[in-house]
């Protein structure tokens, strides 16, 4: 009884304090409103957000095609004027413009030391130094030498070479070395399983692989699966010597630095590519099966660079933080924009990214705190984790601070929607959150999957950044749409860029038509110079997904979109995600997953629908903090994650959370999962359940958990 009285008093006190703060903020608003109105000119921001960005250029009963209303920007015009249509020409021009400027930066690792944790366990942590930079001229020299070295090792123009390594400066140097000699770069994700890696190597018939110290041991078992490989070049580690014994006979292992030395002493000339030469065979992450090699020409990539330079505002003091896989088209093209515009790229890894990352010594700074970047790329899963991390931290801070944060968040959301900024709240309430990424981040580019409006808003407001969402595929060189810099909406992916047209085509089976009111809807088709020539050694699949019309290449995406009156597009469905349930209702599994991912207890989720059943079921990887909170509320303490995930009472509680979230998101009754299975293991690319960009590999998840799916439906 005393405890209840105490809690009631505390609640009363907090409520009173919040009412007082609201009263003060009301007075503050009255006093400052005229000043902010004059200084911030919110009507201009609202008008800029609403401006028309694209218009239909043709329409009939089955299709509608949209084109950007924007004109090419200065960089786009320069690339056209100078006739720069290859990455080799691009980098030569950039070196002339930015020769002595910082280009690629690597954080120095000084030592690896043991650190004892509070529980007595000992972990290896890095003692780290500053960033060490190579200028544009130095990168060009390294790339030229490495390219000549590769030629001396037997590489010929138009021959393919695999880069299988983590994101780092040497990855980019190796790629530009290949572009200078007209070698085709084959990119393979570092997180793929052995069979997928071997598939990419064998299909492209390469005999040379560029890898890293960390990944080299994989080749001890891989070399028997890839008989054509004769040379393996490895990037060295900063601290440890690389073990090169025990590898297959007849395969030579060469250090990256030794290839550069060979090139320094070589008289081999460059073999510049032409625009239509294949720059990259980029293997998709294979969300629906075996990875496919997408042919990307120099012309494709330069077209995307033109579009991105038109869409994204670059500032003289920008610094880019690179940590997503460079084998992913989105990261590669984003970093290529940085190279083109003179923006320094500082490399990082998830293990060293922020002060609390797993490899950073206690009291030491993570890469972001040292680099102080202004721009970075992220996939929605990472932003979802940041959003949930913010919520978790706020919840732990106590009732009063939580109430203050919630008030500040709602206050900022209200005024931001009206076109105002909230400088005092940004400094005193949200300032600490901004410091996590170094304090200077102004722009986060999100791609790879649709970003939920809740996550978009929370990251934008709490980190005080602009979150720009885009849409593109490997098959379209990462390009299709980009949000306008003044667009204040969420849930949309922007308007067509200046280098492509986007067409919607009726998908009658699911009831999506271009004649729908109020928004035309249909399957998304993309046409322009950004579109790949097709898939490597897959002529039938190429004919199915690609076509030519009036001399222009088009690609059928399989995604479903709708266009809004201002010319911006929203992704609303995906053909492969659609299932028809027993009673005839169609369920978009991807849409349901996107909505339920915003539920705090969900770390990851896969929704499954059986055509012979009337409802869906869900496989959920739970967030550890909220899982323990649910367990505590049920009186379960000191139990392992595995034990909690298999407890029927926990499953029931999580299902109730999902149902509540589904109702909040206005999902239909038949879309709401009727049963749930909690998965103790985190889904990672090396398990083969998600791609390197963390998209679900739906078929692989289904196969792994088929027994649990059957059990859910049986129950």
């Amino acid at each position: 009884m005393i405890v209840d009285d105490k809690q009631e008093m505390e609640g009363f006190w907090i409520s009173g304090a919040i009412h007082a703060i609201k009263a003060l903020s009301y007075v503050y608003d009255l006093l400052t409103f005229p000043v902010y109105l004059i200084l911030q000119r919110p009507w201009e921001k609202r008008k800029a957000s609403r401006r028309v960005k694209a218009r239909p250029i043709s329409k009939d009963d089955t299709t509608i095609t949209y084109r950007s209303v924007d004109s090419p920007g200065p960089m786009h015009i320069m690339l056209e004027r100078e006739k720069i249509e290859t990455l080799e020409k691009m980098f030569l021009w950039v070196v002339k413009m930015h020769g002595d400027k910082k280009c690629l930066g690597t954080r120095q690792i000084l030592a690896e030391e043991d650190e004892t944790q509070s529980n007595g366990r000992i972990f290896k942590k890095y003692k780290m130094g500053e960033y060490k930079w190579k200028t544009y001229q130095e990168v060009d020299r390294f790339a030229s030498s490495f390219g000549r070295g590769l030629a001396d090792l037997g590489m010929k123009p138009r021959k393919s070479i695999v880069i299988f390594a983590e994101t780092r400066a040497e990855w980019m140097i190796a790629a530009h070395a290949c572009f200078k000699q007209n070698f085709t770069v084959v990119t393979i994700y570092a997180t793929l399983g052995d069979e997928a890696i071997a598939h990419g190597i064998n299909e492209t018939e390469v005999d040379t692989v560029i890898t890293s110290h960390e990944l080299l041991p994989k080749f001890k078992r891989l070399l028997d699966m890839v008989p054509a490989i004769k040379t393996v070049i490895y990037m060295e580690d900063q601290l440890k010597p690389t073990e090169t014994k025990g590898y297959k006979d007849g395969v030579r292992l060469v250090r990256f630095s030794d290839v550069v030395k060979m090139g320094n002493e070589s008289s081999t000339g460059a073999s510049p590519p032409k625009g239509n030469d294949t720059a990259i065979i980029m293997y998709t992450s294979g969300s629906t099966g075996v990875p496919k090699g997408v042919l990307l020409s120099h012309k494709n990539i330069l077209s995307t660079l033109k579009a991105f330079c038109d869409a994204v505002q670059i500032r003289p003091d920008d610094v880019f933080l690179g940590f997503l896989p460079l084998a992913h088209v989105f990261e590669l093209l984003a970093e290529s924009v940085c190279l083109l515009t003179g923006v320094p790229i500082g490399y990082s890894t998830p293990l060293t990214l922020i002060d609390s990352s797993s490899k950073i010594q206690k009291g030491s700074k993570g890469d972001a705190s040292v680099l102080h970047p202004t721009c970075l790329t992220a996939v929605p899963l990472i932003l979802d984790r940041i959003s949930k991390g913010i919520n978790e931290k706020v919840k732990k801070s106590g009732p009063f601070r939580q109430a203050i944060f919630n008030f500040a968040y709602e206050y900022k959301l209200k005024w931001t929607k009206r076109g105002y900024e909230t400088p005092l709240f940004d400094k005193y309430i949200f300032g600490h959150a901004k410091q996590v990424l170094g304090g200077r981040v102004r722009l986060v580019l999100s791609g790879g999957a649709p970003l939920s409006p809740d996550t978009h808003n929370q990251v934008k407001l709490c980190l005080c950044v602009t979150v720009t969402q885009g849409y593109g595929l490997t098959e379209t060189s990462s390009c299709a749409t980009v949000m306008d810099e003044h667009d204040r909406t969420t849930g949309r992916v922007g308007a067509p860029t200046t280098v492509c047209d986007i067409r919607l085509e009726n998908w009658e089976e699911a009831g999506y038509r271009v004649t729908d009111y109020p928004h035309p809807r249909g399957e998304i088709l993309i046409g322009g110079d950004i579109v790949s020539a097709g898939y490597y050694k897959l002529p039938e699949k190429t004919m199915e997904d690609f076509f030519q019309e009036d001399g222009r290449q088009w690609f059928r995406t399989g995604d479903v979109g709708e266009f809004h009156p201002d010319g911006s597009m929203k992704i609303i469905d995906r053909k492969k995600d659609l299932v028809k349930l027993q009673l005839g209702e169609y369920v978009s599994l991807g849409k349901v997953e996107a909505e339920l991912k915003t539920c705090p207890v969900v770390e990851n989720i896969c929704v499954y629908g059986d055509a012979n059943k009337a409802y869906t079921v869900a496989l959920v990887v739970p967030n550890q903090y909220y899982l323990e909170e649910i367990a505590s509320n049920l009186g379960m303490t000191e139990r392992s994650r595995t034990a909690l995930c298999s407890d029927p009472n926990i499953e029931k509680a999580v299902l109730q959370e999902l149902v509540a979230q589904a109702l909040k998101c206005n999902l239909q009754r038949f879309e709401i999962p009727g049963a749930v299975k909690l998965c103790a293991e985190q889904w990672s690319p090396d398990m083969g359940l998600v791609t390197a960009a963390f998209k679900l590999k739906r078929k692989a998840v289904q196969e792994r958990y088929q027994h649990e799916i059957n059990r859910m439906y049986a129950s």
Side-chain angles (χ1 to χ4, degrees):
M1 194 70 181
I2 294 171
V3 173
D4 288 345
D5 287 345
K6 188 177 178 183
Q7 286 177 341
E8 192 175 324
M9 284 297 293
E10 187 180 359
F12 180 76
W13 183 82
I14 291 171
S15 176
I18 293 299
H19 276 100
I21 291 169
K22 284 183 177 179
L24 283 172
S25 73
Y26 181 72
V27 174
Y28 170 80
D29 290 344
L30 284 176
L31 294 173
T32 60
F33 182 77
V35 179
Y36 283 155
L37 185 69
I38 295 165
L39 293 179
Q40 296 186 8
R41 307 172 73 84
W43 63 90
E44 291 182 354
K45 294 174 188 173
R46 294 197 297 267
K47 183 180 177 183
S49 180
R50 291 193 302 264
R51 83 174 181 93
V52 173
K53 298 126 186 134
R55 287 194 174 91
I57 57 168
S58 65
K59 183 180 180 181
D60 56 36
D61 289 341
T62 60
T63 64
I64 184 169
T65 305
Y66 282 79
R67 182 174 291 172
S68 171
V69 299
D70 293 338
S71 302
M75 184 62 75
H76 187 149
I77 293 168
M78 185 284 301
L79 290 169
E80 296 275 2
R81 187 181 64 239
E82 299 291 325
K83 294 184 169 54
I84 295 172
E85 58 177 18
T86 68
L87 289 159
E88 182 260 350
K89 279 186 180 176
M90 179 205 90
F91 202 70
L92 288 177
W93 179 83
V94 167
V95 172
K96 285 181 189 173
M97 296 297 294
H98 304 290
D100 293 327
K101 191 175 179 181
K102 290 177 180 176
C103 182
L104 306 181
T106 302
R107 183 97 183 267
Q108 297 303 288
I109 302 173
L110 306 177
E112 189 176 45
E113 299 174 351
D114 291 339
E115 182 180 278
T116 305
Q117 308 302 301
S118 55
N119 59 8
R121 296 179 68 184
I122 295 174
F123 289 130
K124 296 280 187 187
K125 302 279 186 173
Y126 287 145
K127 182 181 178 183
M128 302 193 75
E130 297 298 312
Y131 268 87
K132 190 175 180 181
W133 291 91
K134 289 181 173 65
T135 65
Y136 277 84
Q137 286 178 343
E138 287 170 334
V139 169
D140 186 51
R141 282 200 299 272
F142 269 97
S144 298
S145 294
F146 191 78
R148 288 193 297 268
L150 290 176
D152 287 356
L153 285 171
M155 286 291 298
K156 304 291 183 191
R158 294 191 175 83
K159 191 175 176 182
S160 296
I161 182 169
V162 162
I163 300 183
F164 174 67
E166 308 89 343
T167 296
R168 54 194 286 177
E170 291 90 343
W171 201 108
M172 192 61 86
I173 288 168
H176 278 273
C178 295
F179 301 148
K180 286 176 179 293
Q181 297 289 343
N182 200 11
F183 307 148
T184 299
V185 174
V186 178
T187 66
I188 298 177
Y189 289 111
T191 50
L192 287 180
D194 289 359
E195 287 185 8
I197 297 165
H199 168 75
I201 291 173
N202 289 331
E203 187 171 74
T204 51
E205 301 173 31
V206 301
D207 59 18
T208 303
V209 171
I210 302 168
T211 188
S212 66
H213 166 90
E214 291 81 6
L215 295 173
L216 183 61
K218 271 199 173 194
F219 282 88
K220 278 190 176 173
R221 59 179 187 268
L222 265 175
L223 285 171
D224 288 330
M225 301 168 67
V226 286
I229 294 297
K230 297 292 180 271
T231 305
V232 179
I233 299 163
Y234 61 92
M235 306 165 187
E236 299 102 308
D237 185 74
Q238 289 192 42
L239 297 178
K240 303 168 190 169
T242 305
E243 177 57 59
T244 57
K245 292 177 182 174
Y247 288 83
K248 184 178 170 184
D249 290 341
V251 176
R252 58 182 169 180
L253 272 62
V254 188
R255 288 185 299 188
F256 191 95
S257 58
D258 287 344
V259 180
V260 173
K261 285 176 188 172
M262 289 170 61
N264 286 339
E265 298 163 4
S266 172
S267 57
T268 303
S271 298
K274 291 189 166 53
N276 289 322
D277 284 331
T278 302
I280 299 171
I281 300 175
M282 182 163 279
Y283 275 84
T284 62
S285 45
S287 59
T288 56
V290 177
K292 301 184 290 286
V294 179
L295 298 165
L296 297 179
S297 69
H298 287 269
K299 186 178 180 181
N300 292 150
I301 294 168
L302 262 294
S303 295
T304 290
L305 296 187
K306 292 169 187 174
F308 283 178
C309 287
D310 291 340
V312 179
Q313 184 185 16
I314 305 295
R315 296 180 182 172
D317 64 341
D318 275 334
V319 177
F320 186 87
L321 177 67
F323 70 99
L324 290 184
L326 269 167
H328 190 288
V329 70
F330 177 45
E331 180 72 11
L332 179 60
L333 269 295
E335 291 193 21
S336 295
V337 171
C338 293
L339 293 181
L340 174 59
T341 54
V343 174
I345 303 168
Y347 287 102
S348 179
T349 75
L351 300 177
T352 60
L353 183 63
I354 59 177
D355 297 354
S356 59
S357 292
S358 60
K359 274 286 188 179
I360 297 294
Q361 280 183 337
K362 198 173 289 183
S364 298
K365 292 189 178 296
D367 298 336
S369 297
V370 173
L371 184 67
H372 300 296
T374 60
C375 311
L376 57 94
T377 51
V379 293
L381 184 70
I382 290 172
L383 297 179
D384 285 338
R385 285 177 178 170
I386 290 172
S387 176
K388 285 173 184 171
I390 292 168
N391 290 336
E392 194 178 312
K393 205 163 186 178
V394 168
K395 209 163 187 182
K396 286 179 180 175
S397 67
F400 180 65
R401 287 191 176 185
Q402 189 176 347
I404 290 286
F405 177 86
N406 291 339
F407 164 71
Y409 184 85
E410 292 300 325
Y411 178 91
K412 183 174 180 180
L413 180 62
K414 175 183 74 176
W415 285 106
T416 301
K417 283 182 176 177
R418 295 173 180 173
Y420 290 89
E421 292 166 20
T422 56
L424 286 180
F425 279 72
D426 290 353
K427 184 175 181 179
Y428 295 109
I429 305 291
F430 303 109
H432 182 69
K434 191 172 182 179
Q435 294 306 315
V436 171
L437 290 173
R440 292 183 63 226
V441 174
R442 65 172 185 87
L443 177 63
V444 175
L445 300 163
S446 176
L451 180 65
S452 79
D454 285 351
T455 298
H456 190 147
N457 270 329
Q458 185 153 36
V459 172
K460 179 174 73 173
L461 297 180
C462 294
L463 299 187
C464 309
V465 297
T466 299
V467 178
T468 296
Q469 196 175 174
Y471 169 71
L473 306 95
T474 308
E475 290 87 346
T476 64
S477 317
S478 179
C479 184
T481 70
V482 179
M483 280 182 71
D484 184 79
E485 62 177 314
H486 303 294
D487 192 343
R488 307 175 75 80
T489 63
T490 57
R492 309 191 302 172
V493 293
T497 60
T498 52
V499 298
C500 70
D501 292 341
I502 295 185
R503 177 179 299 168
L504 299 184
E505 187 174 86
N506 286 356
W507 183 22
E508 298 288 352
E509 182 188 1
Y512 293 120
R513 299 179 183 88
V514 300
T515 52
D516 288 345
Y517 181 83
H519 307 304
R521 305 185 300 172
E523 182 184 359
I524 300 166
L525 281 65
I526 300 167
D529 288 343
I530 55 173
V531 179
S532 161
Y535 298 117
Y536 185 67
K537 291 186 176 178
L538 291 172
E540 290 180 5
K541 185 65 178 165
T542 298
M543 285 183 66
E544 182 185 332
D545 292 348
F546 296 85
F547 67 95
Q548 286 251 334
E549 183 179 286
D550 298 329
R552 173 171 265 201
Q553 183 81 334
W554 287 81
F555 175 67
R556 301 180 184 278
T557 67
D559 292 320
V560 179
E562 67 177 28
F563 267 100
H564 292 178
D566 66 346
S568 288
M569 188 172 71
K570 181 178 182 180
I571 308 296
I572 57 172
D573 213 334
R574 179 157 176 78
K575 274 187 163 184
K576 292 184 176 70
D577 285 348
L578 204 72
V579 294
K580 189 177 184 181
L581 298 181
Q582 188 181 37
L583 301 177
E585 303 104 331
Y586 282 98
V587 177
S588 170
L589 302 177
K591 184 192 88 172
V592 174
E593 286 159 357
E595 298 288 10
L596 296 183
K597 253 183 200 171
T598 58
C599 181
V601 76
V602 175
E603 187 77 23
N604 211 339
I605 185 169
C606 178
V607 177
Y608 177 80
D610 187 326
N612 298 312
K613 304 292 181 182
Y615 60 93
T616 63
V617 295
L619 297 157
V620 172
V621 178
N623 176 281
Q624 185 64 26
Y625 173 78
Y626 289 99
L627 179 67
E628 289 173 359
E629 185 178 62
I630 288 172
S632 177
N633 292 340
L634 294 173
M636 301 177 193
T637 54
E638 298 183 8
R639 294 180 62 181
S640 68
R641 179 180 172 88
T642 304
L644 291 175
C645 287
S646 57
D647 190 291
N649 292 315
I650 299 282
E651 283 184 348
K652 186 178 177 183
V654 170
L655 180 59
Q656 288 171 349
E657 295 276 339
L658 287 184
V659 171
Q661 185 70 18
L663 294 172
K664 182 182 166 187
C665 297
N666 298 317
L667 292 183
Q668 298 296 316
R669 177 192 54 77
F670 55 84
E671 294 177 311
I672 301 172
V676 68
K677 160 65 185 167
L678 301 182
C679 307
E681 62 269 48
Q682 293 283 349
W683 297 342
S684 59
D686 55 353
M687 288 176 69
L689 301 181
V690 294
T691 70
F694 293 96
K695 290 182 190 174
L696 275 181
K697 299 180 84 167
R698 198 175 295 284
K699 190 176 178 183
V701 173
Q702 180 192 335
E703 288 173 356
R704 185 181 181 95
Y705 295 103
Q706 190 62 58
H707 176 73
E708 284 79 4
I709 291 170
N710 295 341
R711 182 182 65 80
M712 283 190 281
Y713 274 123
S715 66

